[in-house]
Amino acid sequence: MEKETALALTAFTERYCDAWQKSYGTWPQSEALYGVPSPCILSSTESLVTWRPQPFSPSQNVNAIERALEIVIQPALNAFYTTQFAGDMPARFSGESLTLLQTWSADDFLRVQENLIGHLVTQKRLKLSPTLFIATLESEIEVISLCNLSGEVVKERLGTKQRSVLASSLTDFLNRLEPVL
């Protein structure tokens, strides 16, 4: 499952970067990531950073999450967060606009793990089944997550049991994503 997820993420990232090249003649650019160190940075202007995805270099995985909460994480999530360093990428899934989250650097990877642990602790406290976020939505109270029990990708309302299945797997979800510039 990890290999399929990594391939699907890489394929989506290529579609995203190709769309930037076709529309703007450049690699993706971001104002939000300006001034934040990353191996992805190709160049910077006064307010923009131009980036290109890079292979994930640390020999890290999401084991810190597993150790902190004494659970086993879906292998697809490990592949999702450790395949590459890249900027977050706007996308669309079945008409739903979202921002696919990525790790920008080794430091960012540690921050993401801390946020995932906090998310899981809150769910445990509320007696909700465990999910791990992979994308944000316009609404701050909803996210796209990987269900740690089933491996399905779900849209969930934070702090509630409200969830709807979007895809049977993370690979399927990534393969159906459309880049948005």
Side-chain angles (χ1 to χ4, degrees):
M1 187 56 77
E2 282 187 81
K3 185 175 183 175
E4 292 86 1
T5 300
L7 290 171
L9 177 60
T10 301
F12 170 74
T13 304
E14 287 174 6
R15 291 192 308 273
Y16 183 80
C17 291
D18 287 349
W20 265 89
Q21 292 281 351
K22 187 176 182 180
S23 294
Y24 303 110
T26 182
W27 286 96
Q29 296 179 326
S30 170
E31 287 182 27
L33 296 170
Y34 176 77
V36 182
S38 170
C40 300
I41 297 172
L42 294 174
S43 65
S44 294
T45 63
E46 292 179 12
S47 61
L48 286 175
V49 62
T50 301
W51 62 270
R52 179 179 182 179
Q54 296 297 313
F56 190 87
S57 52
S59 59
Q60 295 178 330
N61 51 42
V62 295
N63 288 353
I65 299 168
E66 293 180 325
R67 284 190 308 272
L69 296 164
E70 298 179 350
I71 62 173
V72 175
I73 299 296
Q74 286 277 336
L77 185 87
N78 187 62
F80 179 78
Y81 280 118
T82 63
T83 293
Q84 64 187 12
F85 289 125
D88 295 344
M89 295 174 275
R92 189 170 296 113
F93 183 87
S94 296
E96 182 91 51
S97 294
L98 59 98
T99 300
L100 191 69
L101 301 174
Q102 289 291 277
T103 54
W104 183 238
S105 65
D107 287 343
D108 190 37
F109 178 68
L110 295 174
R111 183 190 59 78
V112 167
Q113 285 189 99
E114 290 169 0
N115 289 341
L116 286 166
I117 290 168
H119 179 72
L120 288 166
V121 166
T122 299
Q123 289 179 319
K124 187 175 184 176
R125 186 175 46 82
L126 296 174
K127 297 180 175 38
L128 300 172
S129 59
T131 62
L132 301 133
F133 54 81
I134 58 166
T136 59
L137 297 167
E138 205 168 294
S139 166
E140 292 183 7
I141 60 171
E142 294 180 316
V143 294
I144 305 295
S145 298
L146 179 68
C147 176
N148 200 51
L149 300 178
S150 67
E152 296 170 321
V153 174
V154 298
K155 177 180 175 180
E156 70 175 308
R157 184 175 215 98
L158 295 171
T160 73
K161 291 183 180 185
Q162 291 181 5
R163 296 179 182 168
S164 56
V165 176
L166 301 177
S168 61
S169 69
L170 186 48
T171 300
D172 180 44
F173 176 79
L174 293 167
N175 285 332
R176 294 168 47 199
L177 268 186
E178 303 167 29
V180 173
L181 305 182

